[in-house]
Structure formats: structure tokens, C-alpha cells
């Protein structure tokens, strides 16, 4: 019997921190692991669990910008620029665009008066252009399309805007107070999804609460109660390719967008609703994308490009962000102020947790409100806690618009939770690893929302990471007398943060030569989604992975996919692809069973051959997948083989708005652990990361090399944010480091000297072959693991990210 390979895992939306290439050319050797087949004559190799060469959906190109410029538009292309506010908060008293319109070479000038419709993924609080007021430095007030970028820049200078400055809000804790000026007075009237809870008459655009157990009892049982404040700044995603979009309207009124996007279908939906256009009149084409990390999810600049194209008389309009604009006029990661209070017994059992998260959502929180929700239902970390009080508040400020970034709020809350757990362990004289093992969620325990935890390998991850870093063993001697070494550890959990009903679909088509075309709606950002889908389709149908081609996205022809976010593609889209492949396989087997007068259960497809285990007869797929098979009486049966698949979770339940309790808050959690070793220079405060060990439960690795790449890349990106990154604002909300000179990201020089990536596999019951996501998770625990290692090495705690040399040096000298 050939075994159905019950394996898989994945590699999702996350990309390696310093390999954000539009097309990654890394080659992976095919592992020819053989699994038992139903007959020794027909041994069936598994494609799942191997690491074949990356599958590309089209010829290699350097990104959306070059593709659309060079191949399609030439001199007909118009170039767009956006007029932006120099003030963080002000009324717009007047906008005069007459001089800009009169400038030769200017073809279109638009303002908010032209397109007043609201948009937003979860909360409709945003317009394409500021209407009555601007809410952050960089807020769009007008846009120009001209024959060249230079002319468009000149036209921006000719647009006259008169402002009346208003008091700004830069602190989310103050912003949530009754004393703060209201930034969105109409918040209570905005349209939103039912599970987002705006607080009318405040700056709180979402409040998520968890109430469980008896807090007084929990505090009474504790031998140690500790409360502390932690802070995380805004950071930028810094993808290699900045945001870029080209839009064109044809003579029939149909608009085509070429967009470097993680969300082609969501963009189509949001643009259609904001501009009052039928979805059938918008087409989104997404070539390979040069990095995203969440910044290219939802809608950003694309609506502006479409609005300009609608007035450009058929000419295509290109809107591309400069690197400086990318830093603060597209999504940034939300800032966070976290108050963590925890009670623990002297043997290390957590008795109570009371956490409060103030999220700096910026000028619009149309996407950020769901980050707040995810932080709420994950607000204890991956631990069993009987008594819980969590408040997660999304607060408007006059900082840039904050949205999704790799980790979706989990890196921020774990920065606080995992450091705090270490403080508790040290305060009681306990081993931090043993405290985590005692409290980490086990199969069948209740999470903070009342959901029963599915099978998880978190304990294995902890044990394996601790062993690999040499936990409890003395560190090697430091490289110099003024340097010290230490080890730290942190765990994490993260669920796919998404609506309860995000859909995936897929189509597989067999060609005349039995090669397979797979159509999907998910985007390959460099994470290897096309490779994973090729492997799943090949395994599901029974063909070689080399014979599978996966298409990139064109919303007119690709099947629907909600978004390429939430580390969900291998799980959700993978389920749809597997279903489509199996549907195609069933069509073939039914045809052959009738033609050969055999029981369908005696037939299989192996390496592109239909085989009979009963008669040992075989037939190549290419002989029947288009023209069918001939019956004994000479007639024909079958025809072109096309399989369709779709997947949507139908088991996520609502949560009580007052308690946050419900049977199933999320589809599942991916869990994991990182352990690090650092060396701290006591003379300069510089922290060097010597080794990072990552251990994650991925369900089962569809492509182990891609999974390990996600672990390594996520760890380096997590290290970069922990040690180097943070947007710096002056007292008026102006970003002061919107460039790579002043905003540092990790390079090869900063990368750890050694990484070790450990795959733990506890299959997920609803995943394709048991898969769970792994794209975002590896950057979540890196920051607190490094902070804990710095404490172990040098005895100082840094509770505000990043752990710059200056902060460490100051803490050492203060200590």
C-alpha cells in the first residue's frame, strides 16, 4: 500500500530580514526519500517533507516597477506625486490647486473633495486624502500626475494649503485619557466589523477585554507579585522594493492595477468600495513582490493611483514611494506601552496576570484595530493562567498610520511578557526554563479565552532550544577582559490573526503533456509560497513536482484568496490546493476505473502514471487527461481534467465583548522558543549576538529548508529590531531618521555568528498534511531572549526597545 504522507508544515509570509529579494534564486536539492508503496513495483516517493528547487511562476524579474515600465508603457506613462502635510495635526482651511493645474506637463490634480469615500479593512476611518484636517506629518492632501516625476514635483510646490494648527497627541497612554483632544470626533459613526469595539467620544478605536477567574484569589495565592512598564517604538518594515503601483483605465472604464501587493483581492475590494466602482471593473495584477513583511497588506497608495488614472484619459499612472516616503507615509509597526502585573508561587506557578496594552495606532487604525484584538486574546503569552485581567486598547495618535508587520503585535507583547517572566523567576531564585516548562500550555488546557489548546510541541521546543544553547552550562570565556557573556530564552505563540471567515480557493489544470498548472490567489513575497503549493499539488495528484507550474496573481483569472498575511497560506491556501489536486485525481481515477472495468480503490497515480495494484497495468496521464480513455466497446469517457478546491474555517466562534471568553477564539496557535547567547562590551555597551537557536512546532515541514530559512531570517530580523531599530520623532511629530543613514537595520556584519534551527512536528488536525504557519513567528521571541541574555551577562535590564549600545552603557554605569 502506498502511504498517504501525513506530513507538512510551511513557510509563510515572513521573509528573511536581509534577503528581501523580489525573486530569490536559491536552489534546494531534491531529497529522494522513499516511502513504502502499495506495490514494490510502484514505490511512491513523497514530495511533502522535501526541499525541491524553488518554483517560479514567471520569468525572473526585478519587481513590479521595472516590469511594468519596461514592458508595457514607455513614453505614455504618467508619473504621480503626493502633496503631504508638514504638520502633525491641523485643520485644512483652504487648498488651491489652480497654479499646479496650469503648469505645462501636468495632466491630473486631485484632492479629497474629488474622492471623499471612506475605506478600511476592519474600521472605515480613512479617506484617500485628508478632508477637513490632517492627522500626521506626511498625511496626503493632494496628488498630481504629470509627464515626468520632475514636473510632478514642481506641481506639488505650486499647491497652496492653508492650515490652522491643532494640539497633537503623541503618547497613546495620554491619548486614551479623557483629557486628550479627539483626533477622530466621528469615531462612533465609522463603519466597522462586529468584533471591533470603538469607544465613542474617545481616541480608543478598539478595546478588547479578557476577564477570567478570581483576581483577588490569584493575588492572595502568590508569594511574589511584580508589576512593570515596558515600551516598544514604531519601526519600519523596510522592504527592498518600496510601494509602487501603476493604474490605467481603458475606454470601457475598466481599471487595471499593477501592484506590488500582498493583498490583490483585498485591494480590489477596498478600492471598489472607496471609489464606488464595480469589482468587475477593477483588475489587479501582482508580479513578484520585493519584500512586504505586512507593509503591503491592505490598501496604502494604490487607491490614489487609481483615482488619478480615472481622470488621466486612458494614460497609465505610476505612483512610487521614495525611500523617505516609505519610512513614514506607508504602514509602520504600532508602538506599544505595556503594563505587566504577575503573581507567582514560590515553586514557580503563575497564579494571576493583569496586563494593559496601550497601542500607538497612529492617525488611522483601520488595520491596527485587529492587532489590538490579537494582542488581547494572546495577552498572557503561551501559558496557563487561572486568573486573568487583560485590556488591549488601540489609540489614535498623530504618528504615522500603523498597520500589520511580521508578528502582528506578538513581538511587541512578548517583549514585555517574556522579560517579566524572567524577572519573576529571578526574584524567586528559580530557573527561567523550568518556570516556563511548568506553566507553558499543554494539550487540553484552557487558553485565556477559554479555548481548549490543541496538541502542541511547545514543551519540546523549550527543551530542545535550552539543550542546544547549553542552558545551565558555563559559557565560553569572553573574547576580552572587558566583555561578559550570557544566555537568554523566550517562548512565544501566535495564531493567524484574521476574520473568522477568510477564504482560499485554487484551480488545477492538466495540460496535454500531463504537466500541471496551479492557479492561486496568494502572493509569493520571497517566502516560497509557490514552491509549497507546487509540492502540495504534486503530492495530492501524484505527479512530479518538476511538472507543476504555479501562477502569479491576476484577479481576473486567479481564484480568490483573502490576503497573503497571518502566516496562513500553507495552511489555508494549501488546503484549497490539496482539495483541488485530489478532485483532479478523482476525475482521472473514475475515468480509468470505468475504462478498465476496475475498482477505483485498486487504482492510484504515481509519478504521472495511472497504475492498477490489481493487474499492474499502467497508463501515462498524458494519454488521457485531455482526450479521455477508451472503453472496451470503443466509446470514450473523460475529457479535460480540471480540479477545484476551496477552504474556509467554519469553526471559529465569537467572543464575549465583556469577558473575551468563547469556545474557539482562533483556528490554531503556532508555538516556539528561541535561546540566545550574547557578549556584552562593558566599556561601550555593544551587544554582539553569538548564537541564536530557534525551535518551532510547525505541524510538519512541507519543505524543511524553507522552514529553516524562515527561522533564520525571522531571528535576524527580530535581532535587528531588538538592537537597532526605531523611528525617532521630534516634538512636533516629524520623523528624524527616515533614511538608511540614521535608521539602521542589521546587515551581515551584525548577524549572529551561529544559528541553529530545530523543527518540531506535532501535526495540526486541520492543516494540509498537518501543516501550520511559520513565517512570522521566528521574529517574535528574539527581542526578549536577547534582553534576558543581556541581563544574565551584565546584570542590567532594558525595558524599552531597542537595546542600543547607549542604553546598555548607561544602564551599566547607573548600576
Amino acid at each position: 500500500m502506498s502511504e498517504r504522507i501525513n506530513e507538512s508544515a510551511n513557510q509563510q509570509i515572513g521573509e528573511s530580514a536581509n534577503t528581501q529579494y523580489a525573486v530569490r534564486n536559491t536552489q534546494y536539492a531534491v531529497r529522494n526519500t522513499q516511502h513504502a508503496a502499495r506495490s514494490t513495483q510502484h514505490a511512491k516517493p513523497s514530495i511533502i517533507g522535501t526541499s525541491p528547487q524553488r518554483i517560479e511562476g514567471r520569468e525572473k524579474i526585478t519587481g513590479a516597477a521595472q516590469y511594468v515600465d519596461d514592458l508595457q508603457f514607455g513614453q505614455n506613462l504618467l508619473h504621480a506625486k503626493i502633496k503631504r502635510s508638514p504638520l502633525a495635526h491641523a485643520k485644512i482651511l483652504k487648498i488651491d490647486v489652480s497654479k499646479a493645474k496650469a503648469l505645462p506637463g501636468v495632466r491630473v490634480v486631485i484632492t479629497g473633495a474629488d474622492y471623499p469615500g471612506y475605506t478600511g479593512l476592519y474600521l472605515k476611518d480613512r479617506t484617500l486624502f485628508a478632508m477637513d484636517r490632517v492627522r500626521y506629518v506626511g498625511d496626503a492632501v493632494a496628488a498630481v500626475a504629470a509627464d515626468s516625476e520632475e514636473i510632478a514635483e514642481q506641481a506639488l510646490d505650486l499647491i497652496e494649503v492653508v492650515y490652522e494648527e491643532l494640539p497633537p497627541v503623541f503618547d497613546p497612554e495620554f491619548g486614551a485619557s479623557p483629557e486628550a483632544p479627539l483626533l477622530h470626533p466621528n469615531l462612533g459613526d465609522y463603519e466597522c466589523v462586529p468584533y471591533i469595539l470603538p469607544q465613542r467620544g474617545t481616541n480608543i478605536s478598539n478595546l478588547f477585554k479578557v476577564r477570567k477567574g478570581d483576581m483577588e484569589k490569584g493575588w492572595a495565592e502568590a508569594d511574589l507579585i511584580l508589576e512593570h512598564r515596558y515600551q516598544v517604538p514604531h519601526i519600519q518594515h523596510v522592504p527592498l522594493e518600496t510601494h509602487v503601483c501603476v493604474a490605467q483605465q481603458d475606454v470601457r472604464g475598466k481599471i487595471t492595477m499593477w501592484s506590488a501587493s500582498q493583498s490583490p483581492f483585498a485591494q480590489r475590494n477596498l478600492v471598489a468600495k472607496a471609489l464606488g466602482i464595480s469589482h468587475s471593473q477593477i483588475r489587479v495584477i501582482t508580479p513578484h513582490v520585493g519584500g512586504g513583511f505586512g507593509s503591503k497588506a491592505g490598501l496604502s497608495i494604490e487607491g490614489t493611483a487609481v483615482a488619478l488614472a480615472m481622470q488621466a484619459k486612458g494614460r497609465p499612472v505610476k505612483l512610487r514611494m521614495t525611500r523617505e516616503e516609505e519610512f513614514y507615509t506607508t504602514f509602520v509597526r504600532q508602538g506599544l506601552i505595556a503594563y505587566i502585573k504577575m503573581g507567582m508561587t514560590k515553586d514557580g506557578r503563575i497564579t494571576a496576570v493583569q496586563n494593559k496594552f496601550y497601542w500607538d495606532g497612529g492617525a488611522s487604525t483601520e488595520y491596527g484595530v485587529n492587532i489590538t484584538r490579537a494582542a488581547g486574546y494572546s495577552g498572557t503569552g503561551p501559558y496557563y493562567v487561572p486568573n486573568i485581567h487583560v485590556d488591549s486598547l488601540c489609540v489614535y495618535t498623530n504618528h504615522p498610520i500603523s498597520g500589520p508587520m511580521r508578528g502582528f503585535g506578538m513581538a511587541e507583547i512578548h517583549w514585555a511578557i517574556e522579560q517579566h517572566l524572567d524577572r519573576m523567576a529571578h526574584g524567586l531564585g528559580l530557573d527561567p526554563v523550568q518556570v516556563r516548562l511548568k506553566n507553558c500550555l499543554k494539550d487540553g488546557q484552557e487558553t485565556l479565552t477559554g479555548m481548549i489548546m490543541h496538541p502542541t510541541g511547545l514543551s519540546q521546543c523549550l527543551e530542545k532550544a535550552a539543550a542546544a544553547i547549553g542552558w545551565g552550562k558555563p559559557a565560553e570565556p569572553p573574547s576580552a577582559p572587558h566583555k561578559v557573556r550570557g544566555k537568554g530564552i523566550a517562548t512565544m505563540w501566535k495564531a493567524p490573526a484574521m476574520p473568522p471567515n477568510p477564504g482560499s480557493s485554487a484551480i488545477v489544470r492538466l495540460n496535454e503533456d500531463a504537466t500541471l498548472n496551479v492557479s492561486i490567489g496568494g502572493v509569493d513575497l520571497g517566502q516560497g509560497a509557490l514552491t509549497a503549493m507546487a509540492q502540495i499539488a504534486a503530492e495530492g495528484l501524484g505527479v512530479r513536482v518538476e511538472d507543476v507550474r504555479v501562477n502569479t496573481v491576476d484577479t481576473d483569472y486567479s481564484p480568490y484568496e483573502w490576503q497573503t498575511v497571518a502566516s496562513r497560506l500553507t495552511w489555508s491556501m494549501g488546503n484549497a490546493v490539496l482539495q483541488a489536486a485530489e478532485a483532479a485525481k478523482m476525475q482521472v481515477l473514475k475515468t480509468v476505473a470505468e475504462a478498465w472495468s476496475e475498482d477505483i480503490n485498486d487504482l492510484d497515480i504515481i509519478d504521472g502514471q495511472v497504475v492498477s495494484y490489481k493487474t499492474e497495468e499502467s497508463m501515462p496521464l498524458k494519454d488521457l487527461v485531455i482526450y479521455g480513455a477508451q472503453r472496451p466497446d470503443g466509446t470514450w469517457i473523460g475529457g479535460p481534467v480540471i480540479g477545484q478546491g476551496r477552504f474556509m474555517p467554519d469553526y471559529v466562534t465569537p467572543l464575549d465583548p465583556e469577558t473575551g471568553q468563547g469556545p474557539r477564539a482562533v483556528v490554531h496557535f503556532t508555538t516556539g522558543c528561541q535561546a540566545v547567547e550574547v557578549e556584552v562590551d562593558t566599556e561601550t555597551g555593544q551587544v554582539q549576538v553569538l548564537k541564536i537557536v530557534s525551535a518551532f512546532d510547525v505541524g510538519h515541514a512541507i519543505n524543511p529548508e524553507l522552514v529553516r530559512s524562515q527561522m533564520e531570517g525571522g531571528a535576524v530580523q527580530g535581532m535587528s529590531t531588538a538592537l537597532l531599530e526605531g523611528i525617532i520623532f521630534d516634538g512636533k511629530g516629524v520623523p528624524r531618521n527616515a533614511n538608511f543613514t540614521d535608521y539602521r537595520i542589521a546587515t551581515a556584519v551584525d548577524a549572529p555568528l551561529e544559528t541553529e534551527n530545530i523543527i518540531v512536528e506535532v501535526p495540526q488536525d486541520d492543516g494540509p498534511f498537518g501543516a501550520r504557519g511559520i513565517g512570522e513567528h521566528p521574529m517574535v521571541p528574539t527581542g526578549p531572549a536577547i534582553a534576558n541574555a543581556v541581563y544574565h551577562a551584565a546584570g542590567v535590564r532594558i525595558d524599552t526597545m531597542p537595546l542600543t549600545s547607549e542604553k546598555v552603557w548607561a544602564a551599566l554605569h547607573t548600576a
Side-chain angles (χ1 to χ4, degrees), residues 203-208 334 357-362 364-365 367-370 372-373 392-396:
N203 288 319
I204 302 170
S205 56
N206 188 29
L207 171 59
F208 186 92
Q334 289 188 329
F357 304 129
Y358 291 95
W359 291 94
D360 187 337
S364 163
T365 61
Y367 211 130
V369 288
N370 198 41
T372 302
R373 185 173 188 270
S392 188
L393 299 84
C394 192
V395 184
Y396 286 121

Side-chain angles (χ1 to χ4, degrees), residues 734-784:
V734 179
R736 291 304 188 190
N737 60 336
N739 56 72
F740 282 135
T741 301
D742 301 310
Y743 185 103
R744 280 203 62 202
I745 62 172
T747 67
V749 174
D750 307 290
L753 301 180
E754 182 182 357
T755 61
E756 183 174 347
N757 304 297
I758 301 168
I759 296 173
V760 173
E761 296 174 305
V762 176
Q764 181 64 37
D765 60 355
D766 63 347
F769 307 108
R772 274 192 295 272
I774 185 57
E776 298 172 90
H777 311 81
M779 79 168 286
V780 171
T782 319

Side-chain angles (χ1 to χ4, degrees), residues 1 9 148 151 232 244 281 287 302 316 335 416 439 479 486 534 577 618 689 738 753 779-780:
M1 301 282 290
S148 69
I151 295 173
V232 178
V244 59
Q281 287 293 92
E302 299 78 16
N439 291 282
S479 61
V577 169
S618 67
V689 178
L753 301 180
M779 79 168 286
V780 171

Side-chain angles (χ1 to χ4, degrees), residues 658-678:
E658 293 302 318
T659 66
Q661 300 300 296
R664 189 157 182 175
V666 297
V667 290
H668 60 253
F669 287 95
T670 295
T671 58
C673 177
Q674 282 178 342
V676 304
E677 184 174 4
V678 303

Side-chain angles (χ1 to χ4, degrees), residues 257-277:
M257 298 164 54
W258 292 261
S259 177
S261 170
Q262 295 179 223
S263 311
F265 287 92
Q267 279 188 358
R268 182 183 68 173
N269 182 44
L270 292 170
V271 169
K273 290 181 176 179
L275 301 180
I277 307 168

Side-chain angles (χ1 to χ4, degrees), residues 701-725:
I702 287 178
N703 188 307
E705 288 305 314
L706 287 179
V707 170
R708 293 187 185 97
S709 294
Q710 289 301 299
M711 291 188 193
E712 183 174 325
V716 173
Q717 189 171 22
M719 182 197 73
S720 182
T721 62
L723 296 179
L724 302 171
E725 297 184 47

Side-chain angles (χ1 to χ4, degrees), residues 183-184 234 359-365 395-402:
L183 305 188
H184 285 259
H234 292 291
W359 291 94
D360 187 337
S364 163
T365 61
V395 184
Y396 286 121
T397 69
N398 294 116
H399 281 150
I401 296 172
S402 300

